[in-house]
Amino acid sequence: IYTSGSTGAPKGVMISHRALAQHMQSIQSAFAMDRSDQVLQFASLSFDVAIEEILPTLFAGAELVLRNEAIVESMAAFFESVDEFSLTVLNLPTAFWTALVEHMASTGAKLPSSVRLVVVGGEAISRTVLDRFLAMAPGIRCLNGYGPTEVTITSTLFDTAKLAEMNPGDDVPI
């Protein structure tokens, strides 16, 4: 699978079949995915997170919805697609998720009721932005994920429901 690493240029990383199979099972379980889910494939197909979106979804027997460029370029198109396909699981890069939260705050847009899980990853997420999102999206489970490609994509997940155990303003763990 491929990662951009710190250079920004795609770099191939050897991953064993065993590690990939374990990752599929772990993510399917952590995301509580089953055959009733509709999962957005958002990441570029040449990036490691695309594997996390595709394989666990198929492993769970869920429906995979491939993104088009309009979803990435327009928040209106993103919201329309989430609603049209009754998406239940969104795995979004931090920068896009941050723009999504800003759009929700400025327009009053809400994620469709079909969405039950939002996974955010790729870089650190702001506690302020997360608190804002959770206030605007009550009832939606949110996970902060992180992991280098070399350890088979995602190696840590933080369930934001645990924020209640933390001090206000603490950084969001991974």
Side-chain angles (χ1 to χ4, degrees):
I1 58 179
Y2 288 87
T3 181
S4 63
S6 59
T7 66
K11 174 180 78 167
V13 176
M14 296 293 291
I15 301 296
S16 72
H17 288 114
R18 181 178 299 152
L20 194 54
Q22 182 59 51
H23 177 74
M24 285 189 320
Q25 291 175 345
S26 296
I27 290 299
Q28 185 266 330
S29 176
F31 292 5
M33 280 196 294
D34 63 31
R35 55 192 286 187
S36 68
D37 280 309
Q38 291 79 36
V39 180
L40 176 62
Q41 182 279 305
F42 185 90
S44 166
L45 291 173
S46 64
F47 189 55
D48 64 349
V49 174
I51 300 295
E52 179 171 285
E53 294 166 337
I54 296 167
L55 295 181
T57 300
L58 299 177
F59 181 75
E63 181 179 340
L64 183 68
V65 177
L66 302 177
R67 74 161 167 107
N68 58 39
E69 288 306 308
I71 289 175
V72 178
E73 296 170 358
S74 161
M75 282 297 164
F78 176 82
F79 277 86
E80 183 179 304
S81 292
V82 172
D83 188 43
E84 176 185 352
F85 294 105
S86 299
L87 296 175
T88 59
V89 178
L90 307 173
N91 194 338
L92 304 173
T94 304
F96 185 87
W97 172 79
T98 300
L100 173 82
V101 174
E102 290 172 10
H103 176 79
M104 291 171 68
S106 67
T107 66
K110 296 196 180 302
L111 287 171
S113 61
S114 61
V115 178
R116 66 169 187 80
L117 173 64
V118 174
V119 182
V120 182
E123 58 187 288
I125 64 175
S126 158
R127 175 68 185 263
T128 303
V129 176
L130 177 59
D131 288 343
R132 218 170 170 193
F133 174 76
L134 295 173
M136 292 185 293
I140 294 178
R141 184 176 176 222
C142 186
L143 299 174
N144 183 28
Y146 176 78
T149 305
E150 292 79 3
V151 296
T152 316
I153 310 164
T154 297
S155 55
T156 66
L157 287 169
F158 174 75
D159 191 328
T160 62
K162 295 180 181 180
L163 286 174
E165 302 167 13
M166 299 170 53
N167 294 320
D170 283 353
D171 289 340
V172 181
I174 54 170

